[in-house]
Amino acid sequence: MHRSEHMPLLVVLVAFFHAACDAAGTDAREEACVVEHVRKQLVQTRKSLVVETYEKEDVAAADDVDNDEKKESMCPWHMTEGDGCHKHRIQKAKCADDTYTWYCSGHGGRKQCPCDSPYMCKVNTCGSEQKEHCCEKSCDGFGGIRDCDG
């Protein structure tokens, strides 16, 4: 065989390998583009999930605040779950109708104790009719601190 006879075969082989390399390169570039596109989608999805998580946490936090406000309104006398003692200049029990007196039976019952006697006790043997929860410096001997639900 003469060199000139091999030449077309060589040209065909070179052209074939060149086309195969271009195709492989194109596939690699397309794959890189697809990978980049998918990566961007994943990042966007991750960001949206983070936002949703924060929104859910914000809603849950708002629900906690609502629950705390309900507890406070249910037991304003409680030192940790309510408002604690009041610091009004009249250091007597604060009644449900916001009157300051030791006799709250006609005023809706005791709402808060003064800071001079900050703890509202479980025992309800105080007041004019001895049916009100006692305000004391310590609830030892008075049944302990009044529960938030009672």
Side-chain angles (χ1 to χ4, degrees):
M1 257 198 219
H2 194 271
R3 253 188 205 185
S4 62
E5 291 176 10
H6 291 293
M7 198 62 122
L9 181 61
L10 185 61
V11 170
V12 170
L13 283 174
V14 169
F16 174 76
F17 285 124
H18 185 53
C21 286
D22 281 349
T26 301
D27 287 346
R29 281 191 297 268
E30 285 176 6
E31 190 174 308
C33 289
V34 169
V35 168
E36 181 63 20
H37 179 70
V38 169
R39 188 187 69 76
K40 286 180 181 178
Q41 285 180 332
L42 287 173
V43 169
Q44 288 173 344
T45 303
R46 193 175 300 133
K47 285 180 182 177
S48 71
L49 288 174
V50 168
V51 168
E52 282 183 31
T53 301
Y54 287 147
E55 287 172 355
K56 286 179 184 175
E57 288 172 359
D58 290 345
V59 169
D63 288 345
D64 288 345
V65 169
D66 290 344
N67 289 339
D68 290 345
E69 288 173 2
K70 287 177 189 172
K71 281 184 182 177
E72 287 179 23
S73 65
M74 289 173 48
C75 54
W77 64 84
H78 203 278
M79 295 301 277
T80 56
E81 296 179 34
D83 296 330
C85 61
H86 73 77
K87 295 178 178 146
H88 192 272
R89 63 179 176 78
I90 301 172
Q91 285 292 289
K92 294 182 179 180
K94 183 178 182 180
C95 305
D97 67 356
D98 293 333
T99 302
Y100 294 91
T101 180
W102 289 116
Y103 311 107
C104 291
S105 61
H107 301 279
R110 289 188 179 177
K111 180 177 173 180
Q112 281 181 290
C113 293
C115 289
D116 286 350
S117 300
Y119 298 103
M120 191 172 292
C121 305
K122 284 183 183 178
V123 170
N124 54 353
T125 58
C126 293
S128 61
E129 298 173 13
Q130 296 184 342
K131 293 182 180 179
E132 298 179 57
H133 293 276
C134 299
C135 291
E136 300 293 332
K137 291 184 185 209
S138 168
C139 288
D140 293 341
F142 293 92
I145 295 174
R146 181 181 176 188
D147 293 326
C148 185
D149 61 354

